[in-house]
Amino acid sequence: MATNVKVLLVDDNPMVMGMLRGALAPLASVTVATDPADALLQAVDDPPDLLVSDYRMPGMDGRQLVEKLRGRAATAGIAVVMLAAKADISDQLSHHEHVADEYVEKPFFLKDAIRRIKRVIDKIALEKMAKSVPSDGVLRGSLLQMNVIDLMQSLEMGRKSCLLTLANGAERCDVYFMEGQVTHAAYGKLTGDAAVFKVLRWTSGNFQVNFEGKTAQQTTTLNTQGLLMEGLRLLDESRRDEGGAAEEEDVLLDN
C-alpha cells in the first residue's frame, strides 16, 4: 500500500533510476531528478520527506547536495538514503555527520536496496501517523497499512519507548520497547522471543502504539534486529516446509 511519504530519487543512470522508481512506486509518492542541480530545485520548490541519491554524479556529488539541503530551513529535516561504493562510504562519507540516515552499498541487489529504503519510508510514515495521535496518546492503525515486521523496524529506527499491542481476531500480543529494543513480549502463555516469533507472520488485524506503556519485565534474549532476523529465518523454513513458491530472481545494479 502506498503511503503519504514523498520520495525524491536522484541518479544519473537511467536504468538504475527506472528500476528503483518502479520498485518504490507502490511504497511512496516518487519523483525523480537526473542530476543534483535539478534535485535541489525540486526539493526547494516541494520538499520531499526522503531523498534517495547516488553519491558519485557529474558536477555536484550526493554529499554536496545533502549539505545544500541541510543549509536551508525548509529542507534541513529531509531524511537521506545514499547509494555509494564501499570505498566512498568509508573514505568520503562516514567521517561527515548527518550525511545520510541509511547507506546502500554499491553494487547492490535491487531487493536489498528496496528493503533498506522501505525501512526509512516506514519510519517516516509512522512518525507522520504519530503526529495525528488522538487525545488519549494511543496511535491506532491496521496491519494492512504496516505489517508487524515493518512496525518493529520503524520503532527500532526511531528508538521509541512504548507498548505495541497487536490484535488479530481473538488473538492479542503485547510487545514492549525501550529505546527501540524489545524488552518484553506476551502472547497468551508465551512470553519473550517465542511470543514475538508467533506474530511476525501476521499481515491482517490491527495495532496500537501507546507511548506511555512501560514495563520492568525483561523476557526477550535477542535485540530487535536479532528477533526479526531469527523470526524471518523461521518463516522461510516454514514456507519451504509448506512448499511455498520459489523467490523471484533478484537484480544486481551498479553504475
Side-chain angles (χ1 to χ4, degrees), residues 155-255:
L155 292 170
E156 181 200 26
M157 288 188 71
R159 298 179 60 85
K160 301 298 185 184
S161 297
C162 61
L163 163 61
L164 170 64
T165 299
L166 305 163
N168 188 356
E171 299 178 276
R172 171 185 167 128
C173 181
D174 290 330
V175 185
Y176 288 86
F177 288 78
M178 177 61 69
E179 294 188 353
Q181 298 305 312
V182 177
T183 58
H184 170 60
Y187 173 90
K189 295 182 179 180
L190 293 177
T191 60
D193 300 358
V196 175
F197 298 152
K198 191 73 174 179
V199 298
L200 285 183
R201 67 169 62 233
W202 288 5
T203 56
S204 61
N206 300 293
F207 69 85
Q208 294 185 0
V209 180
N210 183 351
F211 294 103
E212 300 300 321
K214 298 176 183 178
T215 183
Q217 289 183 273
Q218 176 74 56
T219 58
T220 53
T221 62
L222 298 172
N223 63 19
T224 303
Q225 273 302 303
L227 287 167
L228 293 173
M229 291 176 65
E230 177 63 13
L232 287 171
R233 185 188 68 80
L234 294 171
L235 279 175
D236 286 341
E237 284 187 357
S238 174
R239 287 172 183 146
R240 283 197 296 270
D241 292 342
E242 294 170 0
E247 190 172 345
E248 293 180 7
E249 187 175 351
D250 206 349
V251 180
L252 182 65
L253 297 175
D254 191 13
N255 62 337

